[in-house]
Amino acid sequence: LVGYALLARVLLVEGIQGAGGLGGIDAIAYWTAAGHAWRNEPLYAVGGFGFGAYQYPPLFAQVLAPASLLPMSLFVWLWRLLELIGLRLATGGWARSGIAILIFPPVIAEIDAGNVHLIMAGVAGLAMRGVAAPVGPALLVKFSTWPLAPVGWTRDRRGLFIGAVGIALAALVSIVLSAANWTDYLAFLSLHAQPAPGYKFLDSVPYLIRLAA
C-alpha cells in the first residue's frame, strides 16, 4: 500500500503536460498520433523531432484512433492504469508490484510518462507463463519484442501462431489503407533511429540492423 500511495502522490503532483502539469508526455504523443490517424493526417514529423513526436508503427496509432475522441487527460490516466496492469502481469501479484514501485524509482517514472515498457514487461511475463498470444500484437508497439518469439515457441506455440497471424493481417490492412504513413515511418526511422543528443554513434550501424534491434 505504501508503494501505491507513493505512486498516487507523484502522479497527482506531476499532473499532465498541457493540463497544468508536467507528466504524461509519452501518452500524449500516442493520443495526438491517434487523432492524426482518426483524421487521416500524417503521423510523423520526418524533418524534426520534438515534444509529442510519434515514434511507433502506423498500426499502433490506427488501433488507438477511436481513443482520440476521449479528452487528453482521461486518455493519459487510462494509459497509466494500463501500465499499472502491465506491471502486475510482469511481477505476478499486486503486492510485488507495490514493492517494485517502492524500491525501483524508474517504475514510477515510466507510469508518470505513460510509456509502453511496463506493457511490454507484462507481455514478457505472460509469455514466460505460457501465454504467448500477445507477443505478436506487441510488435505493433515495438518491433524489439521479437526476442520473445523463442520463449513463446517453447511455451505456447498455438498462441504465438494466432497472435502472429493476427498482427500480420492487421499490418497488411494498415499498409493497404495507409501506405504513405508506412513510407513516412521508414523515413522517420532512418533519420531518428536514436534521437537523443549525444547518441548519434548509431548512425554508423546499418539501417536494417537498427530496425531489427
Side-chain angles (χ1 to χ4, degrees):
L1 291 178
V2 175
Y4 292 110
L6 176 62
L7 173 64
R9 182 182 184 280
V10 171
L11 294 182
L12 291 173
V13 170
E14 283 293 295
I16 296 172
Q17 182 82 28
L22 299 173
I25 56 175
D26 292 319
I28 292 171
Y30 311 150
W31 178 81
T32 302
H36 291 322
W38 184 260
R39 298 185 294 271
N40 198 29
E41 297 171 350
L43 297 175
Y44 304 97
V46 176
F49 188 93
F51 172 75
Y54 179 68
Q55 310 172 51
Y56 300 96
L59 181 57
F60 182 40
Q62 291 163 344
V63 169
L64 291 177
S68 67
L69 300 177
L70 297 173
M72 180 188 71
S73 295
L74 177 58
F75 178 89
V76 172
W77 281 108
L78 289 175
W79 195 265
R80 286 169 167 172
L81 177 61
L82 190 60
E83 282 267 274
L84 188 59
I85 294 172
L87 177 63
R88 163 62 178 80
L89 292 174
T91 61
W94 289 112
R96 296 190 191 99
S97 297
I99 293 172
I101 292 169
L102 191 60
I103 67 175
F104 193 54
V107 171
I108 295 180
E110 168 74 10
I111 296 175
D112 174 49
N115 205 291
V116 296
H117 299 108
L118 291 178
I119 297 173
M120 297 298 100
V123 171
L126 287 174
M128 287 186 285
R129 296 186 192 99
V131 181
V135 172
L139 289 172
L140 72 88
V141 181
K142 277 187 178 293
F143 289 137
S144 56
T145 56
W146 71 265
L148 289 173
V151 178
W153 181 257
T154 58
R155 307 285 290 181
D156 179 24
R157 294 184 184 181
R158 182 174 181 273
L160 181 66
F161 178 77
I162 292 173
V165 170
I167 195 61
L169 292 175
L172 180 61
V173 172
S174 173
I175 292 171
V176 170
L177 294 179
S178 186
N181 272 324
W182 282 92
T183 301
D184 289 346
Y185 176 55
L186 294 177
F188 178 83
L189 287 181
S190 68
L191 294 173
H192 304 287
Q194 176 50 267
Y199 293 90
K200 288 296 184 178
F201 64 87
L202 285 181
D203 288 345
S204 61
V205 179
Y207 170 62
L208 291 178
I209 294 178
R210 282 182 281 155
L211 180 61

